[in-house]
Amino acid sequence: MHPTRKAVASAAALLVIAVSGCESGAGTTAAHKDSAKPGCPTALARAKQAVAKAEEANAPWRGPTTGPKAARGKSVVFIAQTLTNPGVAGVAQGVQEAAKIVGWHARTLNGKGTPDGIRAAFKQAVDLKPDGIVIGGFDPETAAESVKKADKAGIPLIGWHATAVPGPSDEPRLFSNVTSRVEDVAKISADWIIARSNGRAGVVLFSDASVPFAKRKSDLIKKELATCSGTKLLSYTNIPIPQVNRRSIGEVRSLLSRFGRKWTYSAAINDLYFGHAAPALRAAGKDGAGAPFNIGAGDGDPSAFERVNGKEFQAATVPEPLSEQGWQIVDEFNRAFAGAPDSGYVAPVHIATAANSGGALSWDSEGYRQAYRKIWGD
């Protein structure tokens, strides 16, 4: 059994959620105590049902089981938006691991979180003349000229969070974009807040408007929160990911000053916001296991799991299966090299909490390594 699911089944029957200021609810979801009736009974019921399903611990492999045998001697370059983003770094590591299995050379280039850095890394990638290039976590328009050069040179491009939807793209031309469905991630993140607060929450939403994928995710979270009249969006705060480390403390202090105890929940398009927000919340005397209760709508990196498991200013994450997606990228390249269509696989949505993580520091579908190795003939 995957480490994320260890001991969950045996412990489930005995589980009692004990969160300050909260009462037990369905499954691993707790509802914030409020003497008033729920502000949105219909939306609340729907949210609780969706959250209970997403918190289920077991996730057997439902991805591809057939495909071309592994090509040999290929080379791929992973261009990372920034390696300070643990999600991007986790996928890059998955690509490295899978490439080694099939005997490919994989190289990672760091865009360092700036347009100039990304363009320089992309130019270097094209100059290396690899068999494939990964656009890791940034808008392809940032390096439009290099994208065109790669396409003209016949180098397949695969994105990770490069466009708003999974699968192939004509403009920009991508063989596939590997990501969960942003609609599913956004909806379940907002539903978790609605369900856990019993339909009454004051929410701060953190986003990065410079990345189309992230902007769309936060817009969808906002839309879903609006389905519950008792859930109030206090602030839609834009902090670009490369600036999170230097801006978060000041922004959090300002938010605490403006909203005080009205701020009971937060959602962010990436877990790393809460890693940097924690010092300000701690300095303000907030309890790591108390309000504001924070959920990261991606990416589920190890540091996020550490905060969730330790109840340190993050109550939940909607993790991308980062290593699994790295393996999927290698499989998609292999299909491109063989002239086959993309796999069409999209990972399922999941919510990880201290109650269902089993102490693990990542989440992936069970059996993905075995499935891909069987496809590749390893």
Side-chain angles (χ1 to χ4, degrees):
M1 181 176 286
H2 188 282
T4 306
R5 270 75 75 178
K6 281 183 180 178
V8 173
S10 60
L14 301 176
L15 179 64
V16 176
I17 300 174
V19 180
S20 176
C22 299
E23 61 188 8
S24 62
T28 58
T29 301
H32 191 68
K33 279 186 177 179
D34 195 326
S35 57
K37 292 181 180 179
C40 51
T42 302
L44 177 61
R46 185 183 66 246
K48 284 186 174 181
Q49 184 178 20
V51 168
K53 182 178 180 181
E55 288 183 338
E56 290 177 355
N58 292 321
W61 177 246
R62 301 188 186 280
T65 55
T66 61
K69 299 298 181 185
R72 297 296 175 184
K74 299 294 184 179
S75 64
V76 296
V77 175
F78 187 106
I79 305 171
Q81 183 231 13
T82 172
L83 289 174
T84 61
N85 181 336
V88 174
V91 178
Q93 185 176 348
V95 169
Q96 292 279 350
E97 182 183 68
K100 185 176 181 180
I101 294 296
V102 293
W104 297 359
H105 176 71
R107 180 169 179 174
T108 300
L109 301 178
N110 187 4
K112 301 180 181 179
T114 67
D116 286 345
I118 290 168
R119 283 190 284 268
F122 213 131
K123 183 180 183 303
Q124 183 183 356
V126 175
D127 290 345
L128 288 170
K129 299 180 180 180
D131 296 294
I133 294 174
V134 184
I135 297 174
F138 61 91
D139 182 357
E141 281 297 312
T142 304
E145 289 303 314
S146 290
V147 169
K148 291 177 182 177
K149 286 182 181 179
D151 185 41
K152 187 176 180 180
I155 302 172
L157 300 175
I158 290 179
W160 181 80
H161 287 202
T163 62
V165 297
S169 169
D170 291 328
E171 188 59 43
R173 188 180 296 278
L174 302 179
F175 179 78
S176 186
N177 181 51
V178 175
T179 178
S180 55
R181 288 189 179 89
V182 67
E183 297 88 353
D184 295 344
V185 173
K187 185 177 185 301
I188 203 63
S189 300
D191 283 346
W192 180 85
I193 291 174
I194 293 169
R196 196 182 189 286
S197 69
N198 205 35
R200 294 193 176 277
V203 185
V204 169
L205 177 56
F206 296 97
S207 183
D208 180 350
S210 70
V211 179
F213 180 89
K215 175 68 164 55
R216 176 165 166 74
K217 185 190 293 185
S218 55
D219 286 346
L220 289 167
I221 292 172
K222 179 180 177 181
K223 181 180 179 180
E224 181 67 12
L225 288 171
T227 65
C228 180
S229 60
T231 300
K232 307 298 182 183
L233 183 61
L234 303 176
S235 175
Y236 193 141
T237 302
N238 175 46
I239 308 177
I241 286 175
Q243 300 175 21
V244 169
N245 62 337
R246 61 184 175 84
R247 285 185 52 188
S248 289
I249 291 179
E251 292 284 357
V252 169
R253 285 174 178 165
S254 175
L255 290 164
L256 287 169
S257 176
R258 290 165 60 194
F259 302 115
R261 295 180 65 183
K262 292 180 181 179
W263 178 12
T264 55
Y265 284 81
S266 312
I269 54 90
N270 190 295
D271 293 300
L272 62 84
Y273 285 83
F274 301 125
H276 293 288
L281 292 170
R282 188 178 293 109
K286 295 294 184 179
D287 181 355
F293 300 100
N294 301 321
I295 182 168
D299 293 318
D301 64 90
S303 65
F305 273 85
E306 288 176 350
R307 289 190 297 275
V308 169
N309 293 338
K311 299 181 180 180
E312 285 292 320
F313 303 102
Q314 186 167 351
T317 180
V318 183
E320 294 278 12
L322 300 174
S323 177
E324 175 188 316
Q325 288 177 333
W327 280 60
Q328 182 183 348
I329 286 170
V330 168
D331 184 64
E332 302 293 2
F333 271 130
N334 194 56
R335 292 169 191 270
F337 300 153
D342 74 298
S343 71
Y345 177 60
V346 181
V349 72
H350 177 72
I351 297 174
T353 67
N356 71 357
S357 75
L361 299 181
S362 63
W363 182 84
D364 298 289
S365 299
E366 290 186 11
Y368 74 93
R369 286 185 174 90
Q370 297 90 324
Y372 280 127
R373 293 183 74 142
K374 185 175 181 181
I375 291 172
W376 301 332
D378 181 68

